[in-house]
Amino acid sequence: VTALLLADPFLLRDVGFQLSCAASVGIVVLARPLEARLARWQRLPRAREALAVTAAAQVGVAPVSLTTFGTLPLVSLVTNVVAAPVAAALSTWGFGAGLVGGIVRPWWPELTAMLQVPTEVLAGLLLRIASTGARAPLWVGTRDLAAGLALACAGGAALAGVTVRSHRHADPP
């Protein structure tokens, strides 16, 4: 973050940058305590991790989202968990297909096009998940700004309590 801000100080006013930083802080600070809180989901470790990371990021972005957009998309707790495996597959396939396609394109452009078919399908699925989530009525809006801020603060305080408790029981270094 420091290097990016030194390179471009105007990033500080960029909402995307603010959201990325806030989500990252939320994940770093809250994801592990949240995952520990969901320990009874032992048979679903990937879902537990995905939900913990998503919830931590949501708490992190809540102040930026509420003050900038006037809404807090609670539906993202569901859509991000659903979209995560699709995004991982898209990233993995897209990187490999793009690399191979870039190499063979001068000699075999048809193969390049065929390699991108799964990329298009996965990207379309990701867009469909996002657009479905955007239409869902699970939003805290500006008219509920006080309730949304209270919810974010209560969630953050509860999670901070989890963090403090988990550190109290840790063995000293």
Side-chain angles (χ1 to χ4, degrees):
V1 170
T2 303
L4 288 170
L5 288 174
L6 286 173
D8 184 3
F10 290 106
L11 277 176
L12 193 56
R13 293 180 177 241
D14 184 87
V15 176
F17 182 75
Q18 293 170 8
L19 289 168
S20 293
C21 291
S24 296
V25 168
I27 291 168
V28 167
V29 172
L30 300 173
R32 286 196 191 274
L34 274 174
E35 190 174 0
R37 222 25 173 157
L38 299 171
R40 60 187 128 164
W41 291 15
Q42 291 177 358
R43 293 186 179 164
L44 301 168
R46 297 232 188 246
R48 182 179 68 219
E49 179 184 5
L51 184 59
V53 169
T54 297
Q58 190 69 24
V59 170
V61 302
V64 177
S65 183
L66 284 168
T67 56
T68 304
F69 304 114
T71 59
L72 183 63
L74 300 178
V75 71
S76 67
L77 292 171
V78 175
T79 56
N80 285 341
V81 171
V82 172
V86 178
L90 176 61
S91 298
T92 304
W93 179 264
F95 177 76
L99 185 62
V100 171
I103 293 169
V104 302
R105 183 180 176 134
W107 303 282
W108 200 358
E110 297 83 13
L111 178 62
T112 302
M114 288 187 321
L115 286 171
Q116 292 307 325
V117 170
T119 305
E120 291 175 15
V121 170
L122 290 168
L125 182 56
L126 205 54
L127 286 171
R128 184 169 205 111
I129 292 167
S131 66
T132 301
R135 289 191 308 270
L138 297 173
W139 296 75
V140 175
T142 36
R143 65 178 177 262
D144 306 315
L145 186 60
L149 285 172
L151 177 67
C153 290
L159 294 172
V162 170
T163 304
V164 169
R165 272 200 304 274
S166 66
H167 288 323
R168 256 191 264 152
H169 296 294
D171 293 330

